[in-house]
PDB file of all heavy atoms in Angstrom:
ATOM      1  N   GLY A 151      53.106  41.818-319.400  1.00  0.00           N
ATOM      2  CA  GLY A 151      53.698  42.998-318.728  1.00  0.00           C
ATOM      3  C   GLY A 151      54.911  43.534-319.438  1.00  0.00           C
ATOM      4  O   GLY A 151      55.454  42.989-320.395  1.00  0.00           O
ATOM      5  N   THR A 152      55.390  44.646-318.906  1.00  0.00           N
ATOM      6  CA  THR A 152      56.538  45.332-319.421  1.00  0.00           C
ATOM      7  C   THR A 152      57.520  45.787-318.327  1.00  0.00           C
ATOM      8  O   THR A 152      57.091  46.116-317.199  1.00  0.00           O
ATOM      9  CB  THR A 152      56.057  46.628-320.162  1.00  0.00           C
ATOM     10  OG1 THR A 152      55.137  46.280-321.196  1.00  0.00           O
ATOM     11  CG2 THR A 152      57.215  47.426-320.744  1.00  0.00           C
ATOM     12  N   THR A 153      58.785  45.731-318.651  1.00  0.00           N
ATOM     13  CA  THR A 153      59.793  46.176-317.663  1.00  0.00           C
ATOM     14  C   THR A 153      60.699  47.160-318.368  1.00  0.00           C
ATOM     15  O   THR A 153      61.323  46.917-319.410  1.00  0.00           O
ATOM     16  CB  THR A 153      60.713  44.925-317.196  1.00  0.00           C
ATOM     17  OG1 THR A 153      59.881  44.062-316.509  1.00  0.00           O
ATOM     18  CG2 THR A 153      61.851  45.463-316.313  1.00  0.00           C
ATOM     19  N   PHE A 154      60.745  48.453-317.772  1.00  0.00           N
ATOM     20  CA  PHE A 154      61.741  49.394-318.187  1.00  0.00           C
ATOM     21  C   PHE A 154      62.911  49.390-317.235  1.00  0.00           C
ATOM     22  O   PHE A 154      62.667  49.351-315.966  1.00  0.00           O
ATOM     23  CB  PHE A 154      61.055  50.807-318.147  1.00  0.00           C
ATOM     24  CG  PHE A 154      60.132  51.056-319.274  1.00  0.00           C
ATOM     25  CD1 PHE A 154      58.796  50.838-319.160  1.00  0.00           C
ATOM     26  CD2 PHE A 154      60.645  51.556-320.533  1.00  0.00           C
ATOM     27  CE1 PHE A 154      57.925  51.033-320.258  1.00  0.00           C
ATOM     28  CE2 PHE A 154      59.813  51.798-321.556  1.00  0.00           C
ATOM     29  CZ  PHE A 154      58.475  51.572-321.458  1.00  0.00           C
ATOM     30  N   THR A 155      64.101  49.307-317.725  1.00  0.00           N
ATOM     31  CA  THR A 155      65.311  49.354-316.925  1.00  0.00           C
ATOM     32  C   THR A 155      66.155  50.584-317.189  1.00  0.00           C
ATOM     33  O   THR A 155      66.475  50.848-318.417  1.00  0.00           O
ATOM     34  CB  THR A 155      66.134  48.084-317.223  1.00  0.00           C
ATOM     35  OG1 THR A 155      65.358  46.922-316.969  1.00  0.00           O
ATOM     36  CG2 THR A 155      67.389  48.089-316.354  1.00  0.00           C
ATOM     37  N   ILE A 156      66.430  51.322-316.180  1.00  0.00           N
ATOM     38  CA  ILE A 156      67.197  52.614-316.316  1.00  0.00           C
ATOM     39  C   ILE A 156      68.519  52.432-315.590  1.00  0.00           C
ATOM     40  O   ILE A 156      68.553  51.833-314.509  1.00  0.00           O
ATOM     41  CB  ILE A 156      66.465  53.773-315.685  1.00  0.00           C
ATOM     42  CG1 ILE A 156      65.103  53.991-316.425  1.00  0.00           C
ATOM     43  CG2 ILE A 156      67.253  55.067-315.715  1.00  0.00           C
ATOM     44  CD1 ILE A 156      64.102  54.890-315.648  1.00  0.00           C
ATOM     45  N   HIS A 157      69.644  52.898-316.188  1.00  0.00           N
ATOM     46  CA  HIS A 157      70.867  52.998-315.477  1.00  0.00           C
ATOM     47  C   HIS A 157      71.348  54.424-315.446  1.00  0.00           C
ATOM     48  O   HIS A 157      71.489  55.087-316.494  1.00  0.00           O
ATOM     49  CB  HIS A 157      71.938  52.134-316.230  1.00  0.00           C
ATOM     50  CG  HIS A 157      71.781  50.653-316.082  1.00  0.00           C
ATOM     51  ND1 HIS A 157      70.967  49.909-316.923  1.00  0.00           N
ATOM     52  CD2 HIS A 157      72.232  49.808-315.207  1.00  0.00           C
ATOM     53  CE1 HIS A 157      71.068  48.670-316.557  1.00  0.00           C
ATOM     54  NE2 HIS A 157      71.813  48.557-315.500  1.00  0.00           N
ATOM     55  N   LEU A 158      71.549  54.945-314.235  1.00  0.00           N
ATOM     56  CA  LEU A 158      71.999  56.369-314.059  1.00  0.00           C
ATOM     57  C   LEU A 158      73.399  56.316-313.380  1.00  0.00           C
ATOM     58  O   LEU A 158      73.581  55.537-312.480  1.00  0.00           O
ATOM     59  CB  LEU A 158      71.060  57.170-313.164  1.00  0.00           C
ATOM     60  CG  LEU A 158      69.691  57.546-313.770  1.00  0.00           C
ATOM     61  CD1 LEU A 158      68.870  58.253-312.668  1.00  0.00           C
ATOM     62  CD2 LEU A 158      69.873  58.519-314.937  1.00  0.00           C
ATOM     63  N   PRO A 159      74.279  57.143-313.904  1.00  0.00           N
ATOM     64  CA  PRO A 159      75.667  57.244-313.263  1.00  0.00           C
ATOM     65  C   PRO A 159      75.506  57.633-311.811  1.00  0.00           C
ATOM     66  O   PRO A 159      74.766  58.632-311.476  1.00  0.00           O
ATOM     67  CB  PRO A 159      76.324  58.302-314.091  1.00  0.00           C
ATOM     68  CG  PRO A 159      75.625  58.415-315.403  1.00  0.00           C
ATOM     69  CD  PRO A 159      74.219  58.062-315.093  1.00  0.00           C
ATOM     70  N   ALA A 160      76.149  56.905-310.973  1.00  0.00           N
ATOM     71  CA  ALA A 160      76.166  57.195-309.554  1.00  0.00           C
ATOM     72  C   ALA A 160      77.308  58.093-309.141  1.00  0.00           C
ATOM     73  O   ALA A 160      78.276  58.148-309.876  1.00  0.00           O
ATOM     74  CB  ALA A 160      76.132  55.936-308.722  1.00  0.00           C
ATOM     75  N   SER A 161      77.189  58.814-308.066  1.00  0.00           N
ATOM     76  CA  SER A 161      78.232  59.688-307.565  1.00  0.00           C
ATOM     77  C   SER A 161      79.100  58.959-306.475  1.00  0.00           C
ATOM     78  O   SER A 161      78.532  58.092-305.755  1.00  0.00           O
ATOM     79  CB  SER A 161      77.694  60.971-306.994  1.00  0.00           C
ATOM     80  OG  SER A 161      78.704  61.743-306.395  1.00  0.00           O
ATOM     81  N   ALA A 162      80.340  59.332-306.360  1.00  0.00           N
ATOM     82  CA  ALA A 162      81.187  58.836-305.305  1.00  0.00           C
ATOM     83  C   ALA A 162      80.870  59.513-304.020  1.00  0.00           C
ATOM     84  O   ALA A 162      81.314  58.953-302.929  1.00  0.00           O
ATOM     85  CB  ALA A 162      82.674  58.958-305.713  1.00  0.00           C
ATOM     86  N   ASN A 163      80.181  60.596-304.027  1.00  0.00           N
ATOM     87  CA  ASN A 163      79.895  61.361-302.858  1.00  0.00           C
ATOM     88  C   ASN A 163      78.451  61.019-302.410  1.00  0.00           C
ATOM     89  O   ASN A 163      77.683  60.415-303.095  1.00  0.00           O
ATOM     90  CB  ASN A 163      80.008  62.884-303.105  1.00  0.00           C
ATOM     91  CG  ASN A 163      81.402  63.280-303.498  1.00  0.00           C
ATOM     92  OD1 ASN A 163      82.321  62.808-302.968  1.00  0.00           O
ATOM     93  ND2 ASN A 163      81.528  64.115-304.493  1.00  0.00           N
ATOM     94  N   THR A 164      78.203  61.432-301.153  1.00  0.00           N
ATOM     95  CA  THR A 164      76.832  61.269-300.584  1.00  0.00           C
ATOM     96  C   THR A 164      76.131  62.545-300.486  1.00  0.00           C
ATOM     97  O   THR A 164      76.649  63.590-300.161  1.00  0.00           O
ATOM     98  CB  THR A 164      76.880  60.570-299.162  1.00  0.00           C
ATOM     99  OG1 THR A 164      75.548  60.609-298.579  1.00  0.00           O
ATOM    100  CG2 THR A 164      77.809  61.374-298.272  1.00  0.00           C
ATOM    101  N   ALA A 165      74.782  62.512-300.730  1.00  0.00           N
ATOM    102  CA  ALA A 165      73.988  63.772-300.692  1.00  0.00           C
ATOM    103  C   ALA A 165      73.746  64.200-299.237  1.00  0.00           C
ATOM    104  O   ALA A 165      73.351  65.366-299.039  1.00  0.00           O
ATOM    105  CB  ALA A 165      72.664  63.519-301.402  1.00  0.00           C
ATOM    106  N   LYS A 166      73.957  63.332-298.272  1.00  0.00           N
ATOM    107  CA  LYS A 166      73.676  63.707-296.875  1.00  0.00           C
ATOM    108  C   LYS A 166      74.474  64.896-296.407  1.00  0.00           C
ATOM    109  O   LYS A 166      74.009  65.688-295.602  1.00  0.00           O
ATOM    110  CB  LYS A 166      73.851  62.439-295.927  1.00  0.00           C
ATOM    111  CG  LYS A 166      72.872  61.398-296.193  1.00  0.00           C
ATOM    112  CD  LYS A 166      73.067  60.210-295.276  1.00  0.00           C
ATOM    113  CE  LYS A 166      72.090  59.112-295.512  1.00  0.00           C
ATOM    114  NZ  LYS A 166      72.273  57.938-294.610  1.00  0.00           N
ATOM    115  N   THR A 167      75.704  64.903-296.771  1.00  0.00           N
ATOM    116  CA  THR A 167      76.572  66.004-296.398  1.00  0.00           C
ATOM    117  C   THR A 167      76.010  67.358-296.750  1.00  0.00           C
ATOM    118  O   THR A 167      75.987  68.349-296.021  1.00  0.00           O
ATOM    119  CB  THR A 167      77.976  65.828-296.973  1.00  0.00           C
ATOM    120  OG1 THR A 167      78.445  64.571-296.626  1.00  0.00           O
ATOM    121  CG2 THR A 167      78.951  66.887-296.450  1.00  0.00           C
ATOM    122  N   GLU A 168      75.576  67.461-298.024  1.00  0.00           N
ATOM    123  CA  GLU A 168      75.015  68.715-298.519  1.00  0.00           C
ATOM    124  C   GLU A 168      73.743  69.019-297.783  1.00  0.00           C
ATOM    125  O   GLU A 168      73.466  70.200-297.511  1.00  0.00           O
ATOM    126  CB  GLU A 168      74.704  68.571-299.996  1.00  0.00           C
ATOM    127  CG  GLU A 168      74.219  69.829-300.702  1.00  0.00           C
ATOM    128  CD  GLU A 168      74.071  69.722-302.168  1.00  0.00           C
ATOM    129  OE1 GLU A 168      74.925  69.032-302.779  1.00  0.00           O
ATOM    130  OE2 GLU A 168      73.183  70.361-302.743  1.00  0.00           O
ATOM    131  N   ILE A 169      72.868  68.029-297.483  1.00  0.00           N
ATOM    132  CA  ILE A 169      71.606  68.279-296.796  1.00  0.00           C
ATOM    133  C   ILE A 169      71.890  68.793-295.395  1.00  0.00           C
ATOM    134  O   ILE A 169      71.299  69.735-294.905  1.00  0.00           O
ATOM    135  CB  ILE A 169      70.723  67.020-296.733  1.00  0.00           C
ATOM    136  CG1 ILE A 169      70.254  66.643-298.163  1.00  0.00           C
ATOM    137  CG2 ILE A 169      69.565  67.141-295.772  1.00  0.00           C
ATOM    138  CD1 ILE A 169      69.675  65.284-298.287  1.00  0.00           C
ATOM    139  N   GLU A 170      72.871  68.096-294.697  1.00  0.00           N
ATOM    140  CA  GLU A 170      73.217  68.500-293.307  1.00  0.00           C
ATOM    141  C   GLU A 170      73.718  69.945-293.280  1.00  0.00           C
ATOM    142  O   GLU A 170      73.443  70.762-292.392  1.00  0.00           O
ATOM    143  CB  GLU A 170      74.209  67.576-292.787  1.00  0.00           C
ATOM    144  CG  GLU A 170      73.613  66.234-292.414  1.00  0.00           C
ATOM    145  CD  GLU A 170      74.681  65.135-292.183  1.00  0.00           C
ATOM    146  OE1 GLU A 170      75.902  65.521-292.320  1.00  0.00           O
ATOM    147  OE2 GLU A 170      74.318  63.959-291.908  1.00  0.00           O
ATOM    148  N   SER A 171      74.600  70.373-294.218  1.00  0.00           N
ATOM    149  CA  SER A 171      75.119  71.639-294.255  1.00  0.00           C
ATOM    150  C   SER A 171      74.039  72.707-294.501  1.00  0.00           C
ATOM    151  O   SER A 171      74.070  73.798-293.992  1.00  0.00           O
ATOM    152  CB  SER A 171      76.265  71.855-295.317  1.00  0.00           C
ATOM    153  OG  SER A 171      75.702  71.618-296.602  1.00  0.00           O
ATOM    154  N   LEU A 172      73.038  72.339-295.325  1.00  0.00           N
ATOM    155  CA  LEU A 172      71.917  73.283-295.593  1.00  0.00           C
ATOM    156  C   LEU A 172      71.058  73.494-294.304  1.00  0.00           C
ATOM    157  O   LEU A 172      70.619  74.573-294.033  1.00  0.00           O
ATOM    158  CB  LEU A 172      71.038  72.713-296.722  1.00  0.00           C
ATOM    159  CG  LEU A 172      69.905  73.610-297.166  1.00  0.00           C
ATOM    160  CD1 LEU A 172      70.412  74.936-297.712  1.00  0.00           C
ATOM    161  CD2 LEU A 172      69.138  72.937-298.239  1.00  0.00           C
ATOM    162  N   ASN A 173      70.906  72.418-293.543  1.00  0.00           N
ATOM    163  CA  ASN A 173      70.117  72.520-292.322  1.00  0.00           C
ATOM    164  C   ASN A 173      70.809  73.428-291.324  1.00  0.00           C
ATOM    165  O   ASN A 173      70.127  73.897-290.380  1.00  0.00           O
ATOM    166  CB  ASN A 173      69.854  71.139-291.684  1.00  0.00           C
ATOM    167  CG  ASN A 173      68.965  70.347-292.615  1.00  0.00           C
ATOM    168  OD1 ASN A 173      68.183  70.886-293.306  1.00  0.00           O
ATOM    169  ND2 ASN A 173      69.007  69.063-292.460  1.00  0.00           N
ATOM    170  N   GLU A 174      72.104  73.592-291.383  1.00  0.00           N
ATOM    171  CA  GLU A 174      72.788  74.438-290.416  1.00  0.00           C
ATOM    172  C   GLU A 174      72.731  75.940-290.711  1.00  0.00           C
ATOM    173  O   GLU A 174      73.140  76.760-289.950  1.00  0.00           O
ATOM    174  CB  GLU A 174      74.303  74.013-290.420  1.00  0.00           C
ATOM    175  CG  GLU A 174      74.534  72.596-289.841  1.00  0.00           C
ATOM    176  CD  GLU A 174      75.991  72.147-290.089  1.00  0.00           C
ATOM    177  OE1 GLU A 174      76.749  72.919-290.624  1.00  0.00           O
ATOM    178  OE2 GLU A 174      76.263  71.046-289.691  1.00  0.00           O
ATOM    179  N   ILE A 175      72.167  76.253-291.900  1.00  0.00           N
ATOM    180  CA  ILE A 175      72.045  77.654-292.256  1.00  0.00           C
ATOM    181  C   ILE A 175      71.124  78.428-291.369  1.00  0.00           C
ATOM    182  O   ILE A 175      70.041  77.966-291.041  1.00  0.00           O
ATOM    183  CB  ILE A 175      71.604  77.826-293.758  1.00  0.00           C
ATOM    184  CG1 ILE A 175      72.694  77.227-294.701  1.00  0.00           C
ATOM    185  CG2 ILE A 175      71.322  79.243-294.130  1.00  0.00           C
ATOM    186  CD1 ILE A 175      72.260  77.214-296.143  1.00  0.00           C
ATOM    187  N   ASP A 176      71.525  79.611-290.952  1.00  0.00           N
ATOM    188  CA  ASP A 176      70.618  80.438-290.148  1.00  0.00           C
ATOM    189  C   ASP A 176      69.663  81.093-291.153  1.00  0.00           C
ATOM    190  O   ASP A 176      69.891  81.934-291.976  1.00  0.00           O
ATOM    191  CB  ASP A 176      71.451  81.629-289.517  1.00  0.00           C
ATOM    192  CG  ASP A 176      70.557  82.534-288.643  1.00  0.00           C
ATOM    193  OD1 ASP A 176      69.364  82.310-288.618  1.00  0.00           O
ATOM    194  OD2 ASP A 176      71.166  83.450-288.037  1.00  0.00           O
ATOM    195  N   LEU A 177      68.343  80.704-290.998  1.00  0.00           N
ATOM    196  CA  LEU A 177      67.313  81.119-291.937  1.00  0.00           C
ATOM    197  C   LEU A 177      66.811  82.512-291.629  1.00  0.00           C
ATOM    198  O   LEU A 177      65.834  82.984-292.196  1.00  0.00           O
ATOM    199  CB  LEU A 177      66.137  80.129-291.872  1.00  0.00           C
ATOM    200  CG  LEU A 177      66.425  78.677-292.361  1.00  0.00           C
ATOM    201  CD1 LEU A 177      65.214  77.857-292.231  1.00  0.00           C
ATOM    202  CD2 LEU A 177      67.046  78.741-293.796  1.00  0.00           C
ATOM    203  N   LYS A 178      67.464  83.274-290.739  1.00  0.00           N
ATOM    204  CA  LYS A 178      67.095  84.630-290.483  1.00  0.00           C
ATOM    205  C   LYS A 178      68.047  85.667-291.097  1.00  0.00           C
ATOM    206  O   LYS A 178      68.002  86.867-290.798  1.00  0.00           O
ATOM    207  CB  LYS A 178      66.999  84.851-288.989  1.00  0.00           C
ATOM    208  CG  LYS A 178      65.878  84.061-288.305  1.00  0.00           C
ATOM    209  CD  LYS A 178      65.806  84.323-286.815  1.00  0.00           C
ATOM    210  CE  LYS A 178      64.635  83.475-286.176  1.00  0.00           C
ATOM    211  NZ  LYS A 178      64.622  83.621-284.764  1.00  0.00           N
ATOM    212  N   ILE A 179      68.992  85.181-291.907  1.00  0.00           N
ATOM    213  CA  ILE A 179      69.919  86.063-292.567  1.00  0.00           C
ATOM    214  C   ILE A 179      69.155  86.980-293.532  1.00  0.00           C
ATOM    215  O   ILE A 179      68.361  86.451-294.311  1.00  0.00           O
ATOM    216  CB  ILE A 179      71.092  85.323-293.298  1.00  0.00           C
ATOM    217  CG1 ILE A 179      71.892  84.520-292.238  1.00  0.00           C
ATOM    218  CG2 ILE A 179      71.948  86.246-294.049  1.00  0.00           C
ATOM    219  CD1 ILE A 179      72.886  83.593-293.004  1.00  0.00           C
ATOM    220  N   THR A 180      69.397  88.263-293.462  1.00  0.00           N
ATOM    221  CA  THR A 180      68.780  89.205-294.397  1.00  0.00           C
ATOM    222  C   THR A 180      69.868  89.999-295.049  1.00  0.00           C
ATOM    223  O   THR A 180      70.961  90.148-294.562  1.00  0.00           O
ATOM    224  CB  THR A 180      67.781  90.110-293.636  1.00  0.00           C
ATOM    225  OG1 THR A 180      68.451  90.876-292.680  1.00  0.00           O
ATOM    226  CG2 THR A 180      66.635  89.337-293.085  1.00  0.00           C
TER     227      THR A 180
END
């Protein structure tokens, strides 16, 4: 077998805050 190992830089912030703020957008804005 084979094992690939990836290391990606992590962020100090959480993505949940951005997702929550996007869900609060009024999708009827024109």
Side-chain angles (χ1 to χ4, degrees):
T152 301
T153 297
F154 284 93
T155 302
I156 300 165
H157 287 89
L158 285 177
S161 173
N163 300 318
T164 173
K166 291 182 179 179
T167 305
E168 185 173 325
I169 294 170
E170 288 165 359
S171 64
L172 184 59
N173 290 338
E174 292 170 2
I175 293 174
D176 181 357
L177 295 180
K178 294 181 180 179
I179 297 174
T180 57

